[in-house]
Amino acid sequence: MPSTALILAAGLGTRMRSRLPKALHPIAGRPMVQHLLGAATQVFDRAVVVVGPDMPGLEAAVAPHATVVQAERLGTGHAALQAAGLLDGGDGDVAVLYADNPLITVDTLRRLVAARAQAGLALVAMRPANPGQYGRVITNAAGDVERIVEWADATEAEREVGLCNAGVVCAPASELFALLRQVRADNAKGEYYLTDIVALAVAAGRRVVAVESPEAELRGINSRAELAGAEAEAQQAMRAAAMAGGATLIQPESVVLSWDTALGQDVTIGPNVVFGPGVTVEDGVEIRAFSHLEGCVVKSGAVIGPFARLRPGTLVGEAAHVGNFVELKAAVLGRGAKANHLSYLGDATIGAGANIGAGTITCNYDGVNKHRTVIGAGAFIGSDSALVAPVTIGDRALVAAGSVVVEDVPADAMAIARGRQVNKPGRGFKGKPAR
């Protein structure tokens, strides 16, 4: 039977003080629930997500995975039970996971499944530096789980136990839902707690085992501060992976990566560089300080920045240069082409070896539609030129500085498109001379 990751994502995130469902708050540029789905779908055959009512954005974010709605938020046990109609009656394993616990790793999930194969039910536990008010996992001499005791109900001796419950459980579908139907809401909150199935399983004579994992990957995220902590953990792990893969981060703690940032070998990244989602950087690229990249590809040997911005749809060719205060959007900069200063190149194709002078603008938007500018190989665009799209500048053409180009320029031609200079004698400035 297929195994299933059942992800509980109906939480509103009240402590977040946000209109956005908690599961959609991003870590490293990716919603929490998508982080969890990315790991879970490497281990389980399918995923089902429990959402709250009126969460179309969340349903869209988890598509094409199946969703079920928890109309009333009556606790984690109640949330998991909403999937009974889809999953009950099968023998495949079901692991109940939490969208606000997004950093759990593929390794931990695989160990959870392997442990479940040796027992009736398996859970994930941790040994946090500060156990605080976590529920304690009480084991017997053989190491099997006897019960989970909540901190408020624990004796002093039980509170000294360092092994804490992370809430994740795995069991055969038929057993899981049979246990969930026995859970009662006889607690201070009047909620149905998923963790109550552990005591019920033990009472029924089923063996329960715990898989231990680091606290960093099991942290719950219920507030903006906890979200920031998870972001810091994720960034630290991604920076370490980037450097292990052959990239140099001159000031690692200042570099912000995205979940899918792909860096080649011998890439050098200066301080305060930010990567949004969808960036691929090939071997031997230098990205200088304070640059921002998103949704772009940088080919080998290119130099970016400092203070450059590469927006989605941009391709920077091999050995090309993008300099300070240059912005590219949906632009292709050919091999060896240069745009070194203070330019905006939007919806543009720029040929190999072309030189773009300081202050050049591709005027791509007419107030209604976007239009494309094509600049040929080896063309030279003089400083402070405005290219009004749609327009084509031919190979090896030269556009004189200060031109406003509204018509195509043939290959090998020079275009001068500016008002003629007129000098008026005696009409200079009449103000008081500077002292």
Side-chain angles (χ1 to χ4, degrees):
M1 295 295 293
S3 59
T4 304
L6 178 56
I7 297 175
L8 307 187
L12 289 172
T14 305
R15 289 168 57 193
M16 291 278 194
R17 294 185 177 273
S18 175
R19 295 183 179 88
L20 190 69
K22 180 166 60 171
L24 291 181
H25 282 264
I27 295 173
R30 190 187 199 188
M32 287 195 284
V33 69
Q34 290 183 0
H35 277 281
L36 186 55
L37 281 167
T41 52
Q42 295 183 60
V43 179
F44 299 94
D45 298 309
R46 61 182 176 181
V48 175
V49 183
V50 180
V51 303
D54 301 320
M55 288 184 170
L58 180 55
E59 292 184 43
V62 303
H65 301 290
T67 59
V68 294
V69 177
Q70 184 188 20
E72 296 182 87
R73 294 176 174 85
L74 300 177
T76 53
H78 178 263
L81 197 56
Q82 305 313 297
L86 287 177
L87 305 176
D88 198 6
D91 293 327
D93 281 351
V94 176
V96 183
L97 310 171
Y98 302 87
D100 61 1
N101 184 192
L103 301 183
I104 192 167
T105 63
V106 170
D107 175 69
T108 291
L109 294 177
R110 286 178 175 154
R111 289 190 294 115
L112 175 68
V113 170
R116 212 300 301 159
Q118 305 300 317
L121 186 147
L123 58 87
V124 178
M126 59 184 173
R127 296 184 184 273
N130 179 17
Q133 297 189 10
Y134 282 112
R136 301 310 201 262
V137 179
I138 309 301
T139 58
N140 59 25
D144 292 346
V145 177
E146 288 188 339
R147 66 187 185 280
I148 295 173
V149 57
E150 297 303 322
W151 185 87
D153 301 321
T155 65
E156 289 301 319
E158 289 170 336
R159 291 179 180 178
E160 293 298 317
V161 173
L163 190 62
C164 296
N165 177 40
V168 174
V169 299
C170 185
S174 56
E175 291 192 37
L176 173 67
F177 292 106
L179 291 169
L180 285 170
R181 290 187 179 97
Q182 298 175 51
V183 173
R184 296 291 175 261
D186 50 359
N187 52 63
K189 290 188 176 181
E191 294 185 352
Y192 298 87
Y193 293 138
L194 175 68
T195 50
D196 287 353
I197 68 173
V198 173
L200 292 169
V202 172
R206 301 292 285 159
R207 182 179 176 224
V208 179
V209 297
V211 170
E212 291 191 39
S213 287
E215 177 187 10
E217 71 176 75
L218 299 173
R219 61 167 72 228
I221 300 172
N222 298 293
S223 68
R224 304 277 185 167
E226 290 172 349
L227 183 66
E231 180 74 34
E233 292 281 357
Q235 290 295 333
Q236 184 175 0
M238 290 186 295
R239 292 168 191 143
M243 290 185 286
T248 294
L249 276 59
I250 293 173
Q251 192 180 68
E253 68 276 9
S254 72
V255 175
V256 177
L257 300 169
S258 190
W259 68 277
D260 60 349
T261 303
L263 301 177
Q265 294 182 346
D266 296 313
V267 170
T268 300
I269 301 173
N272 298 292
V273 172
V274 176
F275 294 90
V279 177
T280 297
V281 178
E282 294 187 354
D283 295 349
V285 169
E286 181 182 3
I287 302 177
R288 294 171 177 167
F290 292 97
S291 294
H292 189 286
L293 297 81
E294 181 179 3
C296 62
V297 175
V298 183
K299 305 293 281 185
S300 60
V303 178
I304 308 297
F307 296 97
R309 185 181 182 195
L310 306 186
R311 292 172 58 192
T314 291
L315 170 64
V316 177
E318 294 181 9
H321 288 195
V322 179
N324 49 286
F325 304 104
V326 174
E327 178 180 350
L328 280 71
K329 189 274 295 182
V332 177
L333 191 64
R335 178 186 178 94
K338 296 179 180 179
N340 280 326
H341 324 277
L342 301 156
S343 294
Y344 170 70
L345 304 173
D347 297 287
T349 300
I350 299 158
N355 188 88
I356 310 299
T360 297
I361 299 170
T362 59
C363 305
N364 57 326
Y365 184 49
D366 64 8
V368 178
N369 298 307
K370 297 289 182 71
H371 303 282
R372 197 155 192 88
T373 297
V374 177
I375 300 172
F380 185 99
I381 310 299
S383 297
D384 203 25
S385 293
L387 310 179
V388 183
V391 69
T392 297
I393 311 300
D395 293 347
R396 300 171 303 281
L398 187 155
V399 173
S403 292
V404 178
V405 178
V406 298
E407 298 178 358
D408 292 350
V409 179
D412 299 303
M414 180 175 72
I416 304 173
R418 58 191 181 211
R420 185 171 183 176
Q421 180 173 326
V422 177
N423 296 331
K424 301 290 186 179
R427 297 290 295 275
F429 179 63
K430 303 299 184 181
K432 294 180 180 180
R435 293 183 179 180

